[in-house]
Amino acid sequence: MYKMISLAHSIAHAKVQGNPYKVTYAVTYQCNARCTICGIWKKYLTSPEKLKEELTMSEIDSIFADFDLSWVSLTGGEPFLRDLFGIASTIQEHNPHLQLLTIPTNGSLPDVTSKTVERILEETRIPNLFVSISLDGDEHLHNRLKGVEGLWKKALKTYQLLNSVENDRFEVFLEFTVSKYNAGHLQPALDSFGVTDYSQVILTAAHSSHFYGFDLTNLHRASSAAQVKEFLSLCNYPTLEKIIPHVYTKLLKKYLMKTPLSLPCVSGRSSFFLDPYGVLYPCISMDAPFGSLRESRLHQLLKGEKAHSIVQQIKKGKCPGCWTPCEAYQTILENLPKAVATAFFR
């Protein structure tokens, strides 16, 4: 509960100051998986020269000096292919109210991941570090959907190494991204990892957007919503601290059933997506860049006419209408009574 209160206090401080409090930063588009539901790994196969355009450490330092964030998510690509300790340290240096650092990974680099996590915990003051490991099915299905033989075993080793970390500031999760390709296979997947505590599992749904590198409209069937329903019946969210993921998952089922959620999105105001080249977006789903933080300061981008137009589009619901944890958690936090009512009573 203390973690939730600390994060909420930091977010409230940011809101009072009129500042954004969360950034999802794709540190690289390099990826060593070949996932069926994601095309990020194709970006540097078709345009290898773009890798050289990713932000340098000095540019990361300059960009994050303009923020005062409560929550940062370092994603990719596969984020552990970059120096995450250096990036995390730089972000912390400029963001004194930072309460939470989250990192999703495909689990392909067990030793690098473990050592990086331990170093972040030992050498930074970041209060909470969460790492989520992607799991798509049992060994056979996981390797098939990841497109790389042997990736399941590496993910299992990563999970085992991180589970052995004894630090109150750290938690490890498994993330199951449901789609028509693996719906109905959640329990065999978790059984293959020996998981019995389902409250440490994040269930989300495959999305299509510019971020993922393709435009697919048939990622789900009725089985996806059925999988979420089954998960909710198995998972006993134990404390009030889990209220946000509980509400998120309840609403995910409604989203997949195409039930309108009617919750105002806060992307583009409270939270943003930063790509590997320094281009700022409202979120990972809306292909509407504010501009480049390599070329402009944060306040210049957010005060411009383009930013105003983008925010107005979001307020009017003229956006892709996603329900990913990257954006949905902030929406739940800022509309908690309505979100709870929609999740449990409507």
Side-chain angles (χ1 to χ4, degrees):
M1 178 60 71
Y2 175 76
K3 292 180 180 181
M4 182 179 176
I5 292 172
S6 297
L7 178 61
H9 181 269
S10 181
I11 289 172
H13 176 270
K15 294 296 292 182
V16 168
Q17 298 294 320
N19 296 327
Y21 57 80
K22 185 190 176 190
V23 164
T24 298
Y25 169 34
V27 298
T28 184
Y29 281 151
Q30 296 178 85
C31 193
N32 49 8
R34 299 292 182 263
C35 296
T36 302
I37 61 169
C38 178
I40 291 175
W41 58 271
K42 298 178 182 178
K43 291 180 184 284
Y44 292 156
L45 293 182
T46 55
S47 303
E49 72 281 357
K50 291 286 290 181
L51 175 59
K52 297 179 181 179
E53 297 178 20
E54 292 187 350
L55 294 172
T56 64
M57 286 301 298
S58 63
E59 289 173 323
I60 294 169
D61 181 86
S62 176
I63 286 172
F64 278 92
D66 275 354
F67 288 97
D68 185 5
L69 299 165
S70 305
W71 180 359
V72 173
S73 180
L74 301 179
T75 186
E78 171 46 49
F80 283 97
L81 289 170
R82 283 207 69 172
D83 173 18
L84 288 195
F85 169 74
I87 293 172
S89 299
T90 296
I91 292 172
Q92 178 210 240
E93 181 180 344
H94 294 298
N95 292 267
H97 294 98
L98 183 65
Q99 288 292 318
L100 177 60
L101 178 67
T102 55
I103 309 173
T105 175
N106 62 28
S108 60
L109 303 165
D111 294 331
V112 170
T113 302
S114 177
K115 290 175 182 177
T116 301
V117 164
E118 289 177 355
R119 194 175 179 196
I120 291 173
L121 292 170
E122 290 171 3
E123 300 184 37
T124 77
R125 302 181 306 279
I126 298 171
N128 299 289
L129 172 61
F130 295 171
V131 174
S132 58
I133 302 167
S134 177
L135 180 64
D136 288 345
D138 62 14
E139 183 170 5
H140 173 74
L141 181 58
H142 181 85
N143 288 339
R144 179 163 65 83
L145 294 182
K146 292 298 185 193
V148 178
E149 194 63 34
L151 202 54
W152 179 90
K153 288 183 178 178
K154 291 180 178 179
L156 176 60
K157 183 179 179 183
T158 301
Y159 181 64
Q160 291 170 336
L161 286 172
L162 295 185
N163 250 334
S164 69
V165 174
E166 296 182 1
N167 193 304
D168 291 341
R169 294 156 54 210
F170 178 69
E171 289 188 58
V172 59
F173 298 86
L174 290 175
E175 184 165 351
F176 186 90
T177 304
V178 67
S179 70
K180 66 180 182 182
Y181 301 106
N182 65 353
H185 294 272
L186 172 63
Q187 194 153 9
L190 298 178
D191 289 346
S192 76
F193 265 45
V195 174
T196 56
D197 181 4
Y198 285 18
S199 68
Q200 294 302 109
V201 177
I202 301 167
L203 186 66
T204 186
H207 280 68
S208 176
S209 76
H210 72 99
F211 170 66
Y212 295 107
F214 56 47
D215 183 18
L216 294 179
T217 56
N218 60 341
L219 286 168
H220 297 285
R221 299 191 181 113
S223 56
S224 291
Q227 179 68 93
V228 179
K229 182 179 179 181
E230 179 193 15
F231 174 73
L232 286 165
S233 72
L234 296 170
C235 182
N236 179 25
Y237 289 100
T239 64
L240 188 60
E241 191 168 355
K242 297 289 184 179
I243 186 64
I244 302 302
H246 195 180
V247 169
Y248 167 78
T249 311
K250 294 278 284 187
L251 293 177
L252 177 63
K253 184 182 75 168
K254 292 178 181 287
Y255 172 83
L256 289 169
M257 295 173 67
K258 302 189 184 304
T259 302
L261 301 182
S262 302
L263 296 173
C265 180
V266 299
S267 296
R269 290 166 288 156
S270 296
S271 61
F272 297 90
F273 168 62
L274 182 67
D275 81 2
Y277 319 113
V279 178
L280 192 71
Y281 295 81
C283 62
I284 65 172
S285 297
M286 191 173 180
D287 191 6
F290 288 98
S292 173
L293 288 175
R294 267 179 162 151
E295 300 169 1
S296 303
R297 300 290 297 273
L298 177 65
H299 71 274
Q300 293 173 319
L301 292 186
L302 299 188
K303 297 297 183 182
E305 290 184 11
K306 188 174 185 181
H308 177 75
S309 174
I310 292 171
V311 169
Q312 290 305 308
Q313 288 180 60
I314 295 170
K315 286 182 176 181
K316 293 175 182 177
K318 296 180 179 180
C319 63
C322 70
W323 194 247
T324 71
C326 296
E327 278 71 49
Y329 277 30
Q330 298 88 266
T331 292
I332 294 169
L333 280 166
E334 296 193 33
N335 301 277
L336 190 56
K338 185 176 183 180
V340 170
T342 304
F344 293 95
F345 305 113
R346 294 179 187 171

